[in-house]
Amino acid sequence: MSLSYVEGNTYKGLDHSVTNLPKGEYEDCTFLNCNFANSDLSGVVFVECTFEDCNLSLAKISNTAFKDVHFQHCKLVGLHFADCNPFLLEMSFDGCQLNLASLYKLVLKKSKFRNCSLHEVDFTEADFTGSVFQECDFAGAIFDRTVLEKADFRSSYNYSLDPENNRIKKAKFSLTGLAGLLDKYGIEVQA
């Protein structure tokens, strides 16, 4: 069975929550206001694609390839990015809801997250060296042996990470965010 190859298409308003997107490689495609909630995207390859105003919550992404993929204003709740294909993995997120997602052991150096909700996201053992987290909400996010060197958290909030258990050399934090680095000590920081 040969997989389809699609290049340069724009898809609007598709609902793949019941029937799955055909398996194949999608290059330079745009998905606008599409519903992939609970769908099976396993083995699909996305190269230089954009998802805008899409819902991918709880989609199966086992061995799915996201190569230079941009998510804008998407709902990505509960996605197990740890299951996707790590080869040439590159994603950016703008205005997305990634609550309860798993980024366990992913290598996403120099990634960009802008205005994202990252509630209870699992960043355990992932590598986000040089990544930028702009205006992101990390309420309940898990950082355990995470590489965050040179990452920028200056405008983000609600994070709690242990500097002794995570690599944060040359990471950037704001004065108001310092409390998130001291949570384990149970002290109060007041302005």
Side-chain angles (χ1 to χ4, degrees), residues 21 23 42 53 59 65 68 79 84 86 91 94 106 125 127 132-133 142 147 152 155:
L21 181 72
K23 300 261 189 253
S42 297
D53 299 307
D68 193 14
L79 281 187
C84 67
M91 298 179 286
D94 187 356
L106 284 188
E125 296 183 32
D127 187 346
V132 175
F133 299 98
I142 301 165
V147 181
D152 188 345
S155 61

Side-chain angles (χ1 to χ4, degrees), residues 5-171:
Y5 175 78
V6 180
E7 183 178 5
N9 282 5
T10 297
Y11 300 92
K12 293 180 183 177
L14 296 179
D15 187 353
H16 285 289
S17 62
V18 178
T19 57
N20 294 322
L21 181 72
K23 300 261 189 253
E25 182 172 337
Y26 297 83
E27 184 170 350
D28 193 29
C29 291
T30 301
F31 297 88
L32 300 170
N33 199 30
C34 296
N35 186 8
F36 298 101
N38 297 301
S39 67
D40 188 354
L41 298 173
S42 297
V44 177
V45 177
F46 297 104
V47 180
E48 297 178 2
C49 290
T50 300
F51 290 84
E52 287 185 39
D53 299 307
C54 294
N55 183 359
L56 288 90
S57 295
L58 298 174
K60 293 178 184 81
I61 55 173
S62 179
N63 206 34
T64 303
F66 294 108
K67 302 175 181 183
D68 193 14
V69 173
H70 181 68
F71 295 97
Q72 188 170 358
H73 305 291
C74 291
K75 190 173 180 181
L76 306 158
V77 175
L79 281 187
H80 288 268
F81 286 105
D83 296 338
C84 67
N85 186 336
F87 183 67
L88 298 176
L89 180 66
E90 185 180 344
M91 298 179 286
S92 64
F93 304 89
D94 187 356
C96 294
Q97 187 180 79
L98 288 114
N99 300 342
L100 303 168
S102 174
L103 301 169
Y104 177 69
K105 287 193 173 184
L106 284 188
V107 177
L108 281 171
K109 296 179 179 182
K110 297 184 180 178
S111 296
K112 290 182 175 47
F113 292 78
R114 185 173 165 264
N115 295 318
C116 291
S117 177
L118 299 161
H119 294 191
E120 300 182 45
V121 172
D122 185 2
F123 290 94
T124 302
E125 296 183 32
D127 187 346
F128 284 90
T129 301
S131 293
V132 175
F133 299 98
Q134 183 181 358
E135 298 289 332
C136 292
D137 184 355
F138 286 95
I142 301 165
F143 294 96
D144 185 19
R145 299 179 308 278
T146 309
V147 181
L148 300 165
E149 294 177 349
K150 299 179 183 175
D152 188 345
F153 285 86
R154 288 179 292 182
S155 61
S156 290
Y157 49 95
N158 290 332
Y159 50 82
S160 176
L161 58 100
D162 181 354
E164 295 174 16
N165 195 32
N166 297 284
R167 292 176 35 197
I168 61 169
K169 186 175 184 177
K170 295 192 178 182

